[in-house]
Amino acid sequence: MQESSFFARVDRVCFAFLKLLVGVSFCLMIFSVFLSIVMREFGFEGFPWLEEASQYLVVWSVFLSAAVLARRNEHISIDIFYSQSSPRTRKIINVLSALLGIGLIGYLAYMGWGFSYTAYVFNDVSLSGYLPVWVAYVSIPVGLGLTALAYLLWLADVLKGQHQ
Amino acid sequence: MITTIAVLVLIVLLISGFPLWLVFIASGFTLLTLASSGIPPDMLASRMFSSLNVYALLAVPGFIFAAELMVRGGMSQRLINWVTVLLGRVPGGVPVTTIVASEVFGAISGSSTATVAGIGKVLYPGLRQSAYNESFSLGLITSMGAIAVIVPPSITMILYGAVASASVGDLFLAGIGPAILIGLVVTLYCVVYALTHSVTSQQQAWNAQEVWRHTREAAWTLGAPVIIFGGIYSGFFTPTEASMVLSVYALIVSTCIYKDLPWRDVWHVALESALLTGKIFTIVAAASVFSLVLVFEHIPEQIVHVLTGWDMSPLMILLMVNVILLIAGMFMDPNSAIVVLVPLLLPIAQAAGIDIIHFGIIMTVNLAIGMFTPPFGLNLFVSTSIFNVSTGKVIKGVLPFIWVYIFALAIISYVPEISLFIPNLFH
Amino acid sequence: QTASAETYEMRVGNITSNDAQELSAKMFIDLVQKKSNGEIKGQLFTGGALGSNDEVMRGLRLGSIQANINPTGNLNQFVPQAGVLTLPWLFPGNNPTQQIENITRILKGQAGNAIKTMADQKGFHVVSLFGLGPNQIFLRDYDKSKSVVENLKGKRIRTISGQEHTETVNNWGARSVQMSLPEVYTSIQQGVIDGFDLPAAVTTKLKYHEQAPYVLMTNHIVLTQYIAVSKAWYDKLPANLKKAVDEAGAETEALGTDAYVKEQNEALNMLKTNPKMTVVELTEADRKALQDMNKKGVWTEVKKNPGKAEMLKLLEADVAKLAK
Ligand code: NA
Ligand code: NA
């Protein structure tokens, strides 16, 4: 009993932290684009890497949000059949979705780790020459890895019947 | 055969209600495994990154955030009050406002999804308040977003210009006629709908004092298009950047002028916008994985070769091209479709004597329709997430509009003058 | 084709379509197929069908895509020292023909070899390096009563990112703006930018000159083309096929050079004969003024990087050799 509530608390704290990161990278993205307009229009020499940074931030925000959405089962689906089906069928679909998510997304995260690590080892930089690209690539293994984990936690919820 | 299996997997998973992004990835992997084409899975992960690492995509989160702020900050409610006081009693008044607003917004953003997010979020409550039902309102907004690709400027046309070696300027001019035609055809449908479904507004008689009051109240919201248009056409910022300027403007108006949005709620709005963006972009990334496998396997080429193998009249070729593009639009995003299909279809079209600019417009209109045809239509998913309704409802809503658009497409395809009239004035 | 021989697949990625770059890619494929007696089968994916440049380069590293053709600006991400190839006023020549042909000759020297060695360490086997063509500055507005330098002052000019490109324009008192290529058309139309920095052939193909009627014939940065094959794939080839690939690469250099010379000259002719366009030739004084600003600016800046300084020394030696 004690243990399960401890896990639930860790789960909640981590989830809140994840949402914080999603929101922060999103806000930074909006701010960075706005900053580049202001700098250009007020005659400052812009940072040559700022546009790349904005793109990287949106990618980070998206792949982290994938985990948040997976944890709450909020990824978009076509629910014409699902909404008409019995609780039992729904549970089967949910379990299969979660397994697909754990397997495929986890696998892609692992693959993403490979090319991020290569880019790190080889010191690849962005087109502007100012940003190391692994900083952006690693959003794939981290974001998708967390997403696979989120599907695992959600699977536990589904199996426990906490999600209909 | 392999393609059939992959498409079957896609359709079965899709209908059973699996998360869409998983469906696209699973279908991609199925195709990959069966065809054993030697694409290492690393490339699929790498594609997920690259498909989102695109500057022009920033307009989508930008306009989503701006629209969320305008809705929460009371800016859009004031706009709706103004529109309904002006046009509430006219049959189809609010839908026509939506149509015009989408065309105008499309001329700013060039992004179909951003138009749905920007216009839809703001005007959907207006449609509902004017007693249009959920299905009609969703269908109108989701389908009218696609006009952004047809009204210049349009990234799809720029891409077509590059691949087909056609003048982008001429394409832009040629897009104006079809965009107006589609607007008129949809307007006609909406007016007929309003009359036959006897949608009547509860508005009282037209009253100059009321109009003035609401105009004053909505002034800051009405300032938004002025800033955006003025900013773009006097060269202060690009359409993509405009979305961020609008966000900052909406933030200031909502928190400091109307004061309907407390500062502590701003964070909540940002987080919600980030998650909405995530819902849409994870599908974009997953669909790009599926597209990559299709391209590696030369599947679009195979389909085109089968369908165009027969001897056909130019009219039949146009019809065939339209069918191919409508099918492509169901599964691919417009930009990938242009890159892959233009080199295949353009020679066929040119051999049949179809003008290169006219053909560009035909492709653009087809792919615009693809933005809201199931199963893969990004506008559908934008509507699903921003209005928080089921995809089933959105799909049901767009069905009549798909036919309305196809009707307009037929006219545009068979009457080249609609496209070519304006560019010819300039030659 | 012999039945017993194993055939190898060579997928080639190319971002553009209908241009000399695509043509060079096709030449390379034809040569590889011919020289390998059909044991290597080439397939061209044009128009960016395989994805963005860095995506294709990652594919090369994995061995899933076997070859890629692009300007060297895209190699800089992996071999930063190659950035010096995009320094302005580096390659001798008074017109595109001379400049393009000179690059191809110069890069057969030590600098070219050094770049190939470095690329090899990053997973890319570079088989061709040849001239692509000079950049010109295209402007929306131009005041004929003022000098070229005065005209450039304060102008917002779109360049690709990368220190050599951005600093070159900034040194002139103009401001470099980064923006993806598809956004350039409407941005210049609406005046978000005042001009852009591209080769004539790219500009006319994308019809971007429609919105920028003034061409300053600066010929300042001359772009270089490379063809790289996947090292992972190349290393697995039998010796005779390795030789076929290398020879095909070397022969493509010559053919590609001719294709680019033709393409740039056609584009320039088209611009010069187009009544809507104004082509501004630079006077010796104009050129000298721009050169001085860049020598003081971006050249000094680049030399601060030891790797790039080293590469520049090699290149300058190769250039000097050519002059003899
Ligand atoms: Na548009
Ligand atoms: Na579609």
Side-chain angles (χ1 to χ4, degrees):
Chain A
M1 272 323 223
Q2 201 62 22
E3 198 182 54
S4 100
S5 82
F6 172 74
F7 275 121
R9 202 144 86 217
V10 171
D11 184 17
R12 267 202 309 280
V13 169
C14 291
F15 188 72
F17 182 65
L18 194 58
K19 281 204 302 193
L20 181 75
L21 290 180
V22 170
V24 166
S25 48
F26 187 85
C27 291
L28 280 176
M29 179 271 294
I30 302 273
F31 176 73
S32 64
V33 178
F34 192 70
L35 181 68
S36 68
I37 307 166
V38 171
M39 289 180 81
R40 185 183 62 222
E41 294 306 322
F42 286 88
F44 294 100
E45 232 170 67
F47 304 112
W49 45 266
L50 199 57
E51 183 180 303
E52 286 167 345
S54 316
Q55 288 173 218
Y56 290 173
L57 283 165
V58 90
V59 175
W60 264 106
S61 175
V62 168
F63 287 114
L64 290 175
S65 73
V68 174
L69 297 169
R71 184 71 190 85
R72 300 198 268 189
N73 190 31
E74 282 181 358
H75 277 286
I76 298 175
S77 59
I78 293 184
D79 48 7
I80 301 170
F81 169 78
Y82 182 87
S83 58
Q84 315 282 315
S85 53
S86 67
R88 205 184 129 76
T89 321
R90 287 184 186 196
K91 190 166 179 175
I92 294 172
I93 291 171
N94 283 336
V95 168
L96 290 175
S97 302
L99 290 174
L100 212 54
I102 297 164
L104 289 179
I105 302 300
Y107 185 58
L108 284 172
Y110 176 65
M111 292 293 118
W113 164 252
F115 75 76
S116 308
Y117 184 71
T118 316
Y120 171 75
V121 170
F122 283 125
N123 270 322
D124 294 349
V125 289
S126 63
L127 205 55
S128 73
Y130 292 92
L131 302 176
V133 284
W134 67 265
V135 175
Y137 291 173
V138 83
S139 62
I140 296 282
V142 172
L144 295 186
L146 289 170
T147 307
L149 183 65
Y151 272 122
L152 185 68
L153 293 171
W154 179 62
L155 178 66
D157 287 355
V158 172
L159 291 175
K160 276 187 281 179
Q162 283 172 3
H163 184 100
Q164 68 280 45
Chain B
M1 179 61 200
I2 292 166
T3 319
T4 319
I5 295 175
V7 169
L8 271 179
V9 167
L10 191 138
I11 289 170
V12 168
L13 292 180
L14 211 62
I15 291 176
S16 328
F18 282 78
L20 266 165
W21 78 309
L22 295 182
V23 174
F24 279 111
I25 292 172
S27 317
F29 269 100
T30 310
L31 193 52
L32 185 73
T33 317
L34 294 176
S36 63
S37 59
I39 319 175
D42 309 45
M43 266 213 79
L44 303 186
S46 143
R47 167 52 59 98
M48 291 189 82
F49 173 82
S50 301
S51 65
L52 297 184
N53 188 30
V54 176
Y55 191 74
L57 278 184
L58 293 179
V60 175
F63 282 118
I64 285 181
F65 187 44
E68 286 281 310
L69 285 167
M70 287 172 81
V71 169
R72 301 281 191 93
M75 289 173 77
S76 65
Q77 187 54 52
R78 286 172 174 83
L79 181 72
I80 289 157
N81 294 343
W82 180 72
V83 169
T84 40
V85 105
L86 268 181
L87 299 168
R89 293 175 63 84
V90 184
V94 183
V96 172
T97 308
T98 309
I99 293 165
V100 174
S102 301
E103 299 246 5
V104 171
F105 194 86
I108 303 173
S109 75
S111 158
S112 170
T113 41
T115 305
V116 175
I119 293 300
K121 191 81 194 175
V122 174
L123 285 177
Y124 178 76
L127 284 164
R128 301 288 285 120
Q129 279 169 31
S130 310
Y132 289 92
N133 68 29
E134 188 182 41
S135 183
F136 174 86
S137 308
L138 288 172
L140 177 65
I141 283 167
T142 312
S143 61
M144 275 317 289
I147 204 75
V149 180
I150 305 165
V151 187
S154 156
I155 296 279
T156 309
M157 288 182 194
I158 291 177
L159 213 57
Y160 176 84
V163 180
S165 287
S167 159
V168 179
D170 285 353
L171 285 164
F172 281 7
L173 292 172
I176 297 172
I180 294 173
L181 177 82
I182 292 172
L184 291 176
V185 173
V186 180
T187 298
L188 190 67
Y189 173 76
C190 289
V191 173
V192 170
Y193 180 92
L195 292 173
T196 53
H197 291 68
S198 51
V199 182
T200 47
S201 167
Q202 301 83 0
Q203 288 292 317
Q204 60 278 66
W206 207 83
N207 168 333
Q209 223 176 348
E210 275 292 285
V211 171
W212 173 239
R213 188 171 70 84
H214 283 291
T215 309
R216 253 187 14 220
E217 277 190 6
W220 285 100
T221 320
L222 294 171
V226 176
I227 288 182
I228 296 305
F229 255 111
I232 291 176
Y233 285 97
S234 54
F236 285 112
F237 36 74
T238 66
T240 306
E241 292 166 347
S243 67
M244 308 298 168
V245 175
L246 185 62
S247 294
V248 172
Y249 177 75
L251 182 68
I252 293 169
V253 173
S254 302
T255 54
C256 303
I257 295 170
Y258 287 159
K259 298 196 174 105
D260 285 0
L261 184 73
W263 274 104
R264 61 187 140 74
D265 287 2
V266 172
W267 166 254
H268 191 67
V269 174
L271 182 60
E272 281 305 307
S273 307
L275 291 174
L276 288 182
T277 307
K279 281 186 188 177
I280 297 159
F281 279 8
T282 43
I283 296 178
V284 172
S288 73
V289 166
F290 186 63
S291 285
L292 179 71
V293 184
L294 288 182
V295 169
F296 254 86
E297 297 302 336
H298 298 281
I299 286 165
E301 281 98 316
Q302 289 167 16
I303 293 172
V304 170
H305 284 309
V306 169
L307 291 183
T308 54
W310 311 297
D311 203 23
M312 287 183 294
S313 69
L315 283 185
M316 279 305 289
I317 286 177
L318 269 180
L319 182 67
M320 190 53 79
V321 163
N322 280 327
V323 170
I324 290 172
L325 289 171
L326 286 174
I327 295 173
M330 287 182 184
F331 297 99
M332 292 174 97
D333 71 284
N335 297 348
S336 322
I338 290 275
V339 164
V340 175
L341 293 176
V342 169
L344 301 172
L345 294 177
L346 185 62
I348 300 170
Q350 284 189 311
I354 299 163
D355 181 85
I356 189 169
I357 298 291
H358 181 217
F359 188 68
I361 299 300
I362 294 173
M363 288 210 66
T364 308
V365 175
N366 266 294
L367 296 173
I369 296 175
M371 293 302 294
F372 60 91
T373 51
F376 178 61
L378 217 41
N379 289 8
L380 299 173
F381 312 136
V382 175
S383 285
T384 303
S385 34
I386 64 173
F387 301 122
N388 204 14
V389 291
S390 71
T391 23
K393 280 187 179 153
V394 182
I395 290 172
K396 189 168 149 264
V398 295
L399 287 179
F401 288 92
I402 293 176
W403 292 112
V404 172
Y405 262 75
I406 287 180
F407 174 69
L409 170 67
I411 301 176
I412 292 162
S413 301
Y414 294 109
V415 187
E417 287 74 20
I418 293 171
S419 312
L420 300 178
F421 171 69
I422 296 178
N424 284 343
L425 286 181
F426 284 77
H427 286 298
Chain C
Q1 192 181 334
T2 52
S4 61
E6 187 182 354
T7 61
Y8 294 83
E9 209 182 355
M10 182 176 75
R11 295 193 189 96
V12 184
N14 170 42
I15 298 279
T16 64
S17 45
N18 290 329
D19 62 353
Q21 182 163 303
E22 187 183 8
L23 187 65
S24 313
K26 284 180 178 158
M27 289 167 175
F28 177 65
I29 291 175
D30 285 345
L31 285 167
V32 168
Q33 291 185 153
K34 211 184 306 155
K35 287 178 184 295
S36 69
N37 295 320
E39 283 182 59
I40 299 176
K41 283 194 75 65
Q43 247 187 79
L44 182 61
F45 289 86
T46 194
L50 294 183
S52 62
N53 173 72
D54 55 332
E55 206 176 348
V56 171
M57 291 297 271
R58 288 198 291 277
L60 250 60
R61 237 176 217 164
L62 294 166
S64 54
I65 299 172
Q66 287 75 33
N68 185 26
I69 181 162
N70 243 324
T72 50
N74 294 303
L75 191 61
N76 301 355
Q77 284 179 268
F78 308 95
V79 184
Q81 292 90 334
V84 299
L85 296 177
T86 45
L87 273 176
W89 324 109
L90 176 67
F91 294 108
N94 297 320
N95 56 49
T97 308
Q98 291 175 2
Q99 286 178 317
I100 295 171
E101 287 175 351
N102 281 339
I103 288 190
T104 307
R105 271 183 232 133
I106 289 166
L107 290 179
K108 292 192 194 304
Q110 351 169 29
N113 281 332
I115 288 171
K116 286 178 178 172
T117 313
M118 288 171 186
D120 204 72
Q121 286 158 3
K122 299 288 175 101
F124 312 108
H125 179 68
V126 173
V127 292
S128 313
L129 282 171
F130 54 102
L132 190 163
N135 276 10
Q136 321 294 354
I137 300 290
F138 291 78
L139 293 179
R140 200 171 177 249
D141 301 300
Y142 186 82
D143 182 347
K144 279 175 198 162
S145 68
K146 290 183 184 165
S147 74
V148 166
V149 178
E150 282 169 329
N151 261 295
L152 284 168
K153 198 139 276 148
K155 290 261 159 68
R156 292 173 295 195
I157 294 175
R158 184 267 177 187
T159 66
I160 65 164
S161 48
Q163 190 190 24
E164 289 80 3
H165 286 272
T166 57
E167 285 305 301
T168 296
V169 169
N170 289 340
N171 293 160
W172 302 340
R175 259 183 303 128
S176 150
V177 175
Q178 282 79 62
M179 182 177 285
S180 63
L181 199 54
E183 298 220 353
V184 170
Y185 188 92
T186 40
S187 296
I188 189 128
Q189 186 179 32
Q190 288 155 2
V192 177
I193 50 174
D194 304 307
F196 53 82
D197 175 18
L198 282 176
V202 176
T203 308
T204 53
K205 191 184 153 266
L206 297 175
K207 317 278 175 195
Y208 284 5
H209 63 284
E210 289 172 354
Q211 301 299 337
Y214 298 95
V215 194
L216 309 189
M217 291 292 295
T218 50
N219 292 321
H220 57 297
I221 291 175
V222 197
L223 300 179
T224 309
Q225 182 83 63
Y226 73 88
I227 299 177
V229 302
S230 158
K231 186 170 151 51
W233 175 75
Y234 177 83
D235 285 347
K236 281 187 209 138
L237 293 177
N240 64 322
L241 296 187
K242 277 184 181 158
K243 190 161 158 264
V245 170
D246 288 334
E247 284 178 5
E251 283 181 35
T252 309
E253 284 177 350
L255 295 170
T257 303
D258 293 344
Y260 273 117
V261 166
K262 187 160 165 271
E263 188 184 45
Q264 293 296 341
N265 285 333
E266 277 173 6
L268 286 171
N269 271 336
M270 188 258 202
L271 292 173
K272 283 175 186 163
T273 53
N274 185 334
K276 288 184 189 152
M277 301 297 296
T278 308
V279 175
V280 181
E281 296 287 349
L282 268 64
T283 63
E284 233 2 85
D286 289 331
R287 193 179 310 275
K288 180 83 173 44
L290 295 179
Q291 276 177 359
D292 286 349
M293 288 189 261
N294 289 144
K295 292 275 160 133
K296 256 185 251 144
V298 64
W299 277 66
T300 322
E301 203 54 39
V302 159
K303 281 180 193 160
K304 285 181 189 159
N305 175 322
K308 286 187 180 181
E310 189 64 30
M311 183 62 72
L312 187 55
K313 235 185 243 165
L314 293 178
L315 253 178
E316 285 183 305
D318 290 340
V319 171
K321 239 181 251 164
L322 179 84
K324 272 181 204 160

